[in-house]
Amino acid sequence: MKKIGFLSFGHWAPSPQSQTRSASDALLQSIELAVATEALGADGAYFRVHHFARQLGSPFPLLAAVGARTSRIEIGTAVIDMRYENPLYMAEDAGAADLIAGGRLQLGISRGSPEQVIDGWRYFGYAPQEGESDADMARRHTGVLLEVLRGKGFAQPNPRPMFPNPPGLLRVEPHSEGLRDRIWWGAATNATAEWAAKLGMNLQSSTLKFDEGGKPFHIQQAEQIRAFRAAWKAAGHEREPRVSVSRSIFALVDDRDRAYFGSNESEDHFGYIEADRRAVFGRTYAAEPDVLIEELKKDEAIAEADTLLLTVPNQLGVDYNAHVIEAILTHVAPALGWR
């Protein structure tokens, strides 16, 4: 059994070929797709966050809206770039969104990927400390967030407050109990997966990772997941960790599917997402259901994960993306034991 959700980048473009032509379209259609996905019996609605781009960029209003319109599915991010975040303000926003959703928030965070502008986090008012890299800054912000989410008081109260305070040091409010255990780290390497495990964060692994040996993508990703689980066990955490992987998977069940994805003959490829580091990019799966089932049986990383996030082509519209998700739930997942 696996939890199955969607992951949307929320692209929008003012083009006749796009059904998502504005930021408003991207936000409102994201909410509608989450509602439709819940009705289909899927388990999650996740959103990617990019800044300075025609994509989803401010996750917490969207997450709160999805939480208010749904009742069962998990809602989350994959991922929020921690280079851009004030961790205390983020803890307030996350606590509020989680309370609105009734404790369904699954918050994916990370160092982030290369952005649309050079050092975009500087425009948000952040800069690495002396001797830090931007990745170090992201991990420092993460450490503060994790500590604040524990809900312990740390701020000295004003002796003459506007409103009465509870006794002792004050914490960030609103606090949502249990959210600390629902923080995920998007790891691109085995080492960062192990680091996340030591801190008690769940693991999100994307459709790409930095190349660590030249093996096929799914094998490298499976090795990353095993390294994460070993580090988690060594750290002695009491709860079981969760692991998600993202995939582009399309079951060709009608003429629309064949028109959009029928000519896809994707395979893993190696390239450079950063100038000095080679990455391996996972293939897209697109085939008739019986063929797709046999191909997915061989994916070691999906087998290792408890959660599968289906990346969706959101600019094709809510109805088509709901169809894509339903096709996997109906024609593929049961044969693989995911349902």
Side-chain angles (χ1 to χ4, degrees):
M1 299 291 290
K2 294 190 188 299
K3 291 184 180 293
I4 301 175
F6 73 82
L7 171 59
S8 174
F9 280 48
H11 295 285
W12 59 272
S15 163
Q17 286 73 44
S18 174
Q19 294 192 42
T20 310
R21 300 182 184 180
S22 68
S24 176
D25 288 344
L27 289 162
L28 295 174
Q29 289 176 19
S30 294
I31 298 167
E32 294 304 320
L33 182 58
V35 172
T37 297
E38 181 172 76
L40 291 171
D43 304 299
Y46 286 74
F47 304 97
R48 183 68 167 92
V49 179
H50 279 118
H51 301 290
F52 299 104
R54 290 176 174 178
Q55 300 175 38
L56 298 173
S58 53
F60 292 107
L62 175 59
L63 294 169
V66 171
R69 288 284 306 278
T70 58
S71 61
R72 182 188 56 80
I73 59 170
E74 297 177 341
I75 57 175
T77 52
V79 290
I80 295 173
D81 188 333
M82 291 302 292
R83 295 175 294 184
Y84 287 76
E85 295 295 324
N86 177 318
L88 271 68
Y89 194 69
M90 184 179 180
E92 289 185 342
D93 279 351
D98 195 40
L99 291 169
I100 289 170
R104 291 181 283 129
L105 186 61
Q106 304 287 337
L107 201 61
I109 63 177
S110 187
R111 186 210 71 172
S113 61
E115 294 295 294
Q116 300 297 106
V117 299
I118 297 170
D119 295 347
W121 27 268
R122 293 189 184 275
Y123 296 96
F124 277 56
Y126 303 110
Q129 297 176 352
E130 186 176 353
E132 273 191 333
S133 67
D134 62 321
D136 294 331
M137 178 176 67
R139 287 188 279 268
R140 173 166 51 84
H141 288 179
T142 297
V144 175
L145 175 69
L146 295 177
E147 186 60 33
V148 169
L149 289 178
R150 296 184 188 279
K152 295 181 179 180
F154 60 91
Q156 188 69 40
N158 187 340
R160 299 179 181 84
M162 181 177 292
F163 306 104
N165 281 323
L169 300 177
L170 303 183
R171 67 187 183 185
V172 165
E173 300 287 359
H175 172 70
S176 186
E177 194 67 36
L179 179 57
R180 170 61 178 81
D181 290 342
R182 287 178 273 115
I183 305 299
W184 306 57
W185 183 261
T189 66
N190 292 4
T192 51
E194 292 169 345
W195 171 81
K198 292 174 183 177
L199 292 182
M201 289 186 283
N202 301 310
L203 175 65
Q204 287 182 336
S205 197
S206 183
T207 51
L208 67 89
K209 69 180 295 294
F210 288 121
D211 178 31
E212 297 182 273
K215 298 177 184 176
F217 170 75
H218 74 101
I219 293 177
Q220 291 201 45
Q221 192 175 50
E223 291 173 348
Q224 180 192 50
I225 294 169
R226 294 180 194 119
F228 167 80
R229 292 191 188 280
W232 184 281
K233 183 177 180 180
H237 301 303
E238 294 182 0
R239 66 179 177 88
E240 285 296 313
R242 290 185 58 186
V243 174
S244 74
V245 296
S246 303
R247 289 291 184 276
S248 298
I249 305 174
F250 302 96
L252 308 182
V253 299
D254 64 20
D255 290 341
R256 292 177 301 170
D257 303 325
R258 297 181 187 95
Y260 286 134
F261 302 106
S263 61
N264 186 290
E265 295 182 357
S266 175
E267 58 184 26
D268 293 351
H269 69 277
F270 294 82
Y272 289 85
I273 193 170
E274 294 182 357
D276 59 345
R277 299 200 67 179
R278 193 169 86 145
V280 55
F281 301 80
R283 56 169 293 190
T284 293
Y285 291 95
E288 304 291 331
D290 56 340
V291 175
L292 199 56
I293 289 164
E294 293 305 312
E295 291 178 342
L296 291 170
K297 284 180 180 178
K298 302 172 186 176
D299 192 310
E300 292 186 16
I302 293 179
E304 290 282 348
D306 59 79
T307 301
L308 173 64
L309 302 182
L310 304 171
T311 62
V312 294
N314 73 281
Q315 290 185 87
L316 294 180
V318 173
D319 290 344
Y320 182 71
N321 280 284
H323 158 77
V324 167
I325 296 163
E326 184 177 27
I328 300 300
L329 294 176
T330 303
H331 300 288
V332 177
L336 290 165
W338 301 348
R339 278 290 184 270

